[in-house]
Amino acid sequence: MEIVIIGGHGKIAMHLHRILKEKGHTVKGLIRKEEQADDLRKAGAEPVIADIEKEEDISKYVGEADAVVFAAGAGPGSGKERKWSVDRDGAIKLIEAAKKNGIDRYVMISAMGLETPRGDEVFQVYQQAKAQADEALRNSGLNYVIVKPGRLTNDDGNGKVKLAEKLDRGEIPREDVAQVIAAVLEDDSIENVEFDLLSGENDIEKALLEFV
Ligand SMILES: NC(=O)c1ccc[n+]([C@@H]2O[C@H](COP(=O)([O-])OP(=O)(O)OC[C@H]3O[C@@H](n4cnc5c(N)ncnc54)[C@H](OP(=O)(O)O)[C@@H]3O)[C@@H](O)[C@H]2O)c1
């Protein structure tokens, strides 16, 4: 499969490149900083330089693929404006690019608990931006999977997860989120679904099988 990952130097994305490459897939990562290109090559992905805030139409950078993954985010240090321009509008630009390029499958890295925004004003805007991006994807006509992890950690993954329509708060290593996304991409039967995702007791394949 050919997979394009937006936010290609993100921490989940960097795990995902390696995992997908090891499974024999071709991976392209969109990044906005030239100096990150070598990191992607080392992880097994082809880097493509494009700033999703500056470009209105990102279809030429996305190109052809079997699936796209939205792994970008303005990040914790950013203000309200970039929550809209990256977390919402970047994801919507990817929907438009996928449609234009005839790519049917879209995996969104979303977040748990968006329906009840909490925290300070900027965090609430982030949650609204993510919720609006998810809603745009649900209504896009694309075949979608919305993965909603809890708090992300940089711990090593152990391949054990819990996933369900709704879970109580918790956390999960970024590496395990990447493993779940890779498993989703490899299973065509997982379509038009969304789930909360935390560390748990089940192997990833088993957890996905029990959910869908
Ligand atoms: N933190 C949590 O606990 C949590 C929980 C649930 C869900 N999430 C979601 O999970 C997502 C992925 O997490 P992560 O930790 O892997 O993210 P991350 O390491 O913060 O990576 C986000 C990537 O997006 C890129 N990006 C930002 N603006 C861009 C632009 N204009 N054009 C192109 N790329 C741009 C960044 O690139 P630069 O290096 O150029 O800035 C960065 O590489 C988060 O963004 C968040 O929405 C987070």
Side-chain angles (χ1 to χ4, degrees), residues 16-46:
L16 193 52
H17 300 321
R18 174 182 50 79
I19 295 163
L20 291 172
K21 176 77 177 174
E22 281 168 10
K23 289 175 182 279
H25 302 296
T26 303
V27 193
K28 201 157 86 173
L30 259 69
I31 53 175
R32 57 181 175 153
K33 296 173 186 152
E34 184 78 54
E35 64 269 23
Q36 295 172 340
D38 270 347
D39 290 343
L40 266 72
R41 289 190 194 99
K42 282 182 202 145
E46 179 199 338

Side-chain angles (χ1 to χ4, degrees), residues 19 30 34 45 62 64 70 102 107 123-124 167 184 205-206:
I19 295 163
L30 259 69
E34 184 78 54
V62 172
E64 286 182 9
F70 188 78
V107 179
F123 190 52
Q124 294 217 8
L167 291 170
V184 161
E205 273 73 20
K206 184 163 180 270

Side-chain angles (χ1 to χ4, degrees), residues 1-175:
M1 258 191 302
E2 285 184 23
I3 296 141
V4 176
I5 303 172
I6 311 300
H9 199 265
K11 293 187 242 14
I12 292 175
M14 291 299 289
H15 288 295
L16 193 52
H17 300 321
R18 174 182 50 79
I19 295 163
L20 291 172
K21 176 77 177 174
E22 281 168 10
K23 289 175 182 279
H25 302 296
T26 303
V27 193
K28 201 157 86 173
L30 259 69
I31 53 175
R32 57 181 175 153
K33 296 173 186 152
E34 184 78 54
E35 64 269 23
Q36 295 172 340
D38 270 347
D39 290 343
L40 266 72
R41 289 190 194 99
K42 282 182 202 145
E46 179 199 338
V48 175
I49 312 291
D51 187 322
I52 58 169
E53 289 169 280
K54 292 195 180 129
E55 303 287 340
E56 271 316 305
D57 177 351
I58 60 169
S59 59
K60 72 175 176 200
Y61 304 103
V62 172
E64 286 182 9
D66 298 296
V68 294
V69 178
F70 188 78
S78 59
K80 287 186 278 184
E81 268 141 49
R82 294 198 62 236
K83 307 302 183 195
W84 298 120
S85 62
V86 181
D87 294 283
R88 181 191 60 188
D89 297 343
I92 291 173
K93 286 174 188 173
L94 183 59
I95 293 172
E96 285 158 5
K99 281 182 165 179
K100 194 167 170 181
N101 295 4
I103 303 166
D104 185 44
R105 198 152 162 77
Y106 188 128
V107 179
M108 176 80 86
I109 303 178
S110 183
M112 274 177 67
L114 297 178
E115 55 293 336
T116 46
R118 61 198 165 81
D120 66 21
E121 195 192 350
V122 175
F123 190 52
Q124 294 217 8
V125 169
Y126 161 76
Q127 292 166 91
Q128 287 166 27
K130 292 292 282 177
Q132 289 181 23
D134 290 354
E135 188 61 10
L137 182 57
R138 286 182 201 105
N139 295 329
S140 67
L142 296 174
N143 170 349
Y144 67 83
V145 180
I146 301 175
V147 178
K148 303 170 174 175
R151 198 179 75 78
L152 299 172
T153 74
N154 292 325
D155 297 343
D156 289 342
N158 67 359
K160 301 280 188 192
V161 301
K162 170 160 64 178
L163 58 86
E165 213 165 296
K166 202 81 218 83
L167 291 170
D168 287 334
R169 268 197 241 170
E171 58 182 37
I172 179 166
R174 287 176 168 87
E175 188 177 4

